[in-house]
Amino acid sequence: MTKIQQIYAGIILAVAVSGTSAEPTEISRTVPCNTPDVVFGQLLRDYGEKPQWIGQSGNDVFVVLVSNPQKKTWSLVEYNGAMACVLSVGVSRTAQSTGSKKFPQ
């Protein structure tokens, strides 16, 4: 079981154990993909976004948060050696302190 599968299983188990009747929901949408050079190059050129955080989510699969602190823009990109996909983009950001359990409402 991959790390992401373990996380999903933990979330599902937590919901089941908590006694709530919430059903897990899947979101299906099209995401823009291209080579890593094209994706990261465009984010840097068009938005001035540079890598702020990189995490490994699987074998040779990485998730990168790129942002521009001055413009407060950010993008979340998942990539391997051949393909990069922009999972989400946004404006405005705040840093959460370590251990914070609050999520924006």
Side-chain angles (χ1 to χ4, degrees):
M1 186 179 290
T2 68
K3 183 71 171 176
I4 195 73
Q5 289 170 325
Q6 291 172 345
I7 292 169
Y8 286 142
I11 291 170
I12 291 169
L13 180 61
V15 169
V17 171
S18 71
T20 62
S21 62
E23 292 290 323
T25 302
E26 253 183 53
I27 298 172
S28 179
R29 61 188 170 116
T30 303
V31 294
C33 300
N34 209 318
T35 65
D37 287 343
V38 169
V39 170
F40 290 112
Q42 185 172 0
L43 292 171
L44 177 62
R45 183 180 57 254
D46 294 352
Y47 302 100
E49 295 180 350
K50 297 178 183 176
Q52 302 297 314
W53 182 89
I54 300 173
Q56 188 169 359
S57 67
N59 293 339
D60 300 323
V61 178
F62 298 90
V63 176
V64 180
L65 174 65
V66 295
S67 70
N68 181 325
Q70 288 75 35
K71 293 182 180 180
K72 296 186 178 182
T73 62
W74 58 268
S75 301
L76 189 63
V77 180
E78 183 175 78
Y79 79 99
N80 61 22
M83 189 66 58
C85 299
V86 179
L87 303 178
S88 191
V89 299
V91 294
S92 185
R93 62 185 198 150
T94 58
Q96 292 288 334
S97 64
T98 308
S100 174
K101 295 182 180 180
K102 292 185 177 180
F103 290 95
Q105 296 296 319

